[in-house]
Amino acid sequence: MKWQQLDTLAYQNRLRHLSPEHKLLLGIILLVLVIAGHRLVQVLVFFWMGLWVVGYARIPMRHYLLFLLLPFSFFAAGLPALLIDVSRAPDPFDASGFVLWWQAGGYLFTVSVSSLQRVLDLFCRTMSSLAVFSFILFTVPFSEILQVLRKARVPALVIDLLMVMYRFIFVLLSLSMQLWVAQRSRGGHQGFRASLKDVGQLAAQLFARSMRHYERLYQGMAARGMTEHFQVQGIVTHSRSRRYEWESYLGCLVLILLELWIGGLRL
């Protein structure tokens, strides 16, 4: 899924009319529960956020799954380091407490129950956090996030930096695609070594062109007498929905009570 599509969906979803403050507050509360909560609470948050994104906001399932897939690929790439413990092979070896084990030379590779537990905990926390972030990104446009930050008295310098960074995400994506197409049209990216060389050249050209874009942006602002901070005007009138408000209140209350109950049982 392209970043431009994510930005477009944030402006066209069915929850667009709701207050961004309420949606961000819901996301923050759930994110705290995910980080500090137990596995059952994290799983419930994951499915509840999926209901909000796909069911209420009417975000296509394909876009939602693609959003979750890319970060999950990084998690999957780190699975071997999380699952497999490497040590020198003892003599004799006690296989109790290990799910899998194999020996290569003088080293022993093991997969223990504790490592599986660690991976499962990390998987639940990662996926539920991504679900919360997807709810925020799919339902709250970035300009409204900046307006909420301004109302929360976040320093103007931080908001300006966020705005410039957000603008240059699109600049970098557009420039990188143009450079990649130009290299492919000249017969580039043929073979592994050639691809590495072309990628290095693309990165160098991307840096140079992005700096030129930044310089033109600075000169344009200076020519217009830009001495204050950026201003983002809201043009959408938000409304309240009793149904969504009550569902968010009751859902958070149930999750908090469930977390306290699980914590009490473990004590």
Side-chain angles (χ1 to χ4, degrees):
M1 182 182 60
K2 297 181 180 180
W3 186 269
Q4 291 88 339
Q5 291 177 327
L6 176 63
D7 192 64
T8 301
L9 291 172
Y11 281 97
Q12 297 179 350
N13 69 90
R14 294 290 184 89
L15 301 180
R16 177 74 170 87
H17 64 283
L18 298 182
S19 171
E21 291 89 349
H22 294 167
K23 289 183 284 188
L24 287 175
L25 181 60
L26 175 61
I28 292 173
I29 293 174
L30 293 179
L31 190 60
V32 172
L33 280 173
V34 165
I35 294 174
H38 295 86
R39 193 185 308 159
L40 178 59
V41 175
Q42 296 167 356
V43 173
L44 292 176
V45 169
F46 175 79
F47 285 106
W48 193 33
M49 286 292 95
L51 176 63
W52 277 85
V53 173
V54 179
Y56 299 159
R58 293 291 193 272
I59 301 298
M61 178 67 74
R62 181 172 61 90
H63 294 306
Y64 179 63
L65 293 179
L66 285 176
F67 177 84
L68 298 178
L69 180 61
L70 181 59
F72 176 75
S73 62
F74 289 97
F75 174 81
L79 275 181
L82 296 171
L83 279 175
I84 302 174
D85 297 322
V86 183
S87 60
R88 289 192 174 275
D91 190 19
F93 169 65
D94 184 11
S96 61
F98 297 106
V99 180
L100 295 173
W101 64 273
W102 64 95
Q103 186 173 350
Y107 292 93
L108 183 67
F109 299 84
T110 59
V111 177
S112 62
V113 177
S114 61
S115 63
L116 288 175
Q117 185 80 14
R118 181 171 62 246
V119 168
L120 182 59
D121 291 338
L122 184 59
F123 173 78
C124 293
R125 182 172 289 110
T126 300
M127 298 307 296
S128 54
S129 300
L130 287 174
V132 175
F133 280 117
S134 70
F135 168 73
I136 295 176
L137 294 177
F138 277 121
T139 62
V140 186
F142 190 76
S143 60
E144 294 185 356
I145 296 178
L146 295 180
Q147 292 176 7
V148 174
L149 293 178
R150 185 172 285 110
K151 291 179 181 178
R153 302 298 178 87
V154 175
L157 178 61
V158 176
I159 298 176
D160 291 345
L161 288 175
L162 289 174
M163 184 179 297
V164 173
M165 290 170 59
Y166 183 74
R167 169 72 180 98
F168 269 85
I169 288 176
F170 296 97
V171 172
L172 291 176
L173 289 176
S174 177
L175 288 176
S176 60
M177 182 58 64
Q178 293 174 8
L179 293 173
W180 185 82
V181 171
Q183 288 181 339
R184 290 284 294 179
S185 64
R186 295 183 177 92
H189 297 276
Q190 302 294 329
F192 180 72
R193 291 186 177 180
S195 296
L196 290 179
K197 180 180 178 181
D198 293 335
V199 169
Q201 294 176 351
L202 188 149
Q205 295 177 13
L206 181 62
F207 176 77
R209 292 196 181 188
S210 61
M211 291 303 296
R212 286 199 292 268
H213 273 268
Y214 168 75
E215 185 177 359
R216 287 198 293 267
L217 175 63
Y218 173 77
Q219 291 174 352
M221 291 188 300
R224 293 175 175 86
M226 175 68 181
T227 57
E228 297 295 332
H229 303 289
F230 293 111
Q231 298 295 329
V232 179
Q233 300 296 330
I235 58 176
V236 177
T237 302
H238 300 100
S239 59
R240 299 182 60 180
S241 172
R242 296 291 184 182
R243 172 202 166 187
Y244 291 135
E245 288 182 6
W246 277 106
E247 180 174 343
S248 60
Y249 295 152
L250 292 177
C252 290
L253 180 60
V254 169
L255 290 173
I256 293 173
L257 293 177
L258 179 61
E259 174 63 28
L260 294 175
W261 181 69
I262 296 176
L265 288 180
R266 294 197 174 187
L267 290 178

